[in-house]
Amino acid sequence: MKNFEFYNPVRILFGKGTISKISNHLPAGVPVLFVYGGGSIKKNGVYDQVVKALGATEYYEFSGVQPNPSYEQLMPALGIIRGKNIGFILAVGGGSVIDGSKFLAAAACYKGDEPWDLLSLQPEVKEALPIGTVLTLPATGTEMNGNSVISRISVNHKLAFGSSLLMPRFSVLDPEVTYSLPKNQIANGVIDAFIHVLEQYLTYPSRAEVQDRFAESLLLILKDTGSKVFADPEPDYNDRANFMWAATNALNTSISMGVINDWSTHTIGHELTALYGFDHAVSLAIVLPGVLTLLREKRKEKLLQYGERIWGITSFDHQAAILETIKYTEQFFRCLGVNTKLSEYGIGSEAIDKVVNQLNSHGATMLGRARDVTIDDVPAILGTRL
Ligand code: NZQ
Ligand code: ZN
């Protein structure tokens, strides 16, 4: 196991009715910016619960944050933050609202002229407004990490940045708020969280047994309970609770400690989203089988471990077992209603050059932290996805 530092200061308020506790965790006497998305929270009662919980707190609203949040759409909020002397941001929504709020938290304190530089130049974040979140979509893990992914529509870029200063002060996880999720968003959440685990676990053996077994328990819960949540005609509280907590743990850094991480599937997936507007999880479901096929020899040991412990696949013929494992993984995504081939979205081989050009345009040549996927591998990876 490699050396590591573990730091996660996010306070989790988990369970039914926990939105009502928000005010206990807001700084006193500070105007709050309440950020939300396209209106789902007004239909499912979350907006009313938040307003009630805010009570007498002075607050202002910024709404309409869209999926794959964009710089262009977020920038006007900086005017409210400065004009109203906002000292705390409360993000209520899925990953897009929370990531958008993190960007605003850093942009509001950024000393340079152009806040997009936070993403394109990756300077160290020196200061940020504090944020809190009410999560409505278990998927990204952003509620318990310091990362944010923002798109700039004018140049077709989708980039990530991060800092421990962007970790929420608190995150409210009430499984009941997920009852209003449409099926495709449940599928997205299960797939995104599942692939988060794989990007950290399915690399090379590190003798990190706690992390491995923890990762495998998350994969099993996402596979079994996630499928049940997707299929159930009526929501079951405990299934929702387990799905929600699994998705949070999939990307709160616990399982990435001391092991070799990857993230090449995410890097390529972000380019597909920037080019074609895919939902984040859909882009990953397309790319991952291609990455695993490419790496089936190099990552043999972990692929065999994953296949045996998650899918019950064993064989003396290791190559056959690995191919079967990749097939089961892809089939899992398809059973959740997500197509995994570019052609199924009306996209042909022209996508390959476009993705390569996009990666080149921001100097991304080494695509994963495991250092076994480069820009030169993209044609082979996407070639299997046509
Ligand atoms: O906008 P509203 O009306 O709220 O509707 C949203 C949106 O249309 C809807 N929704 C959310 N909660 C709901 C609900 N509808 C009904 N009931 C509820 N309880 O779902 C739609 C999708 O929401 P979005 O926030 O876009 O989805 P998700 O949580 O999957 O976030 C995706 C974004 O997070 C980034 C992705 O790249 C993408 O931009 N990621 C962030 C990460 C991080 N910060 O650590 C890591 C991830 O890998 C990912 O890259
Ligand atoms: Zn993701």
Side-chain angles (χ1 to χ4, degrees), residues 2 87 89 175 238 247 324 362:
K2 296 194 296 174
I89 300 180
N238 284 306
E324 190 78 347
H362 32 254

Side-chain angles (χ1 to χ4, degrees), residues 38-40 68 94-96 99 136 142 145 147 158 177 180 196 266 280:
S40 69
N68 301 312
S96 296
D99 282 10
T136 63
T142 186
N145 69 42
N147 304 330
K158 181 175 185 185
V177 311
S180 58
H196 290 163
H266 272 69
H280 171 62

Side-chain angles (χ1 to χ4, degrees), residues 139-141 149 188 191-193 195-196 199 251 263 266 270 280-281 283-284:
T140 61
V149 189
N188 281 349
I191 292 172
D192 190 21
I195 294 180
H196 290 163
E199 294 261 39
L251 196 47
W263 302 108
H266 272 69
H270 287 337
H280 171 62
S283 75
L284 305 179

Side-chain angles (χ1 to χ4, degrees), residues 137-140 184-194 196 222 243 247 281:
L137 200 177
T140 61
N184 74 310
Q185 294 300 346
I186 294 171
N188 281 349
V190 172
I191 292 172
D192 190 21
F194 193 87
H196 290 163
L222 290 163
F243 165 40

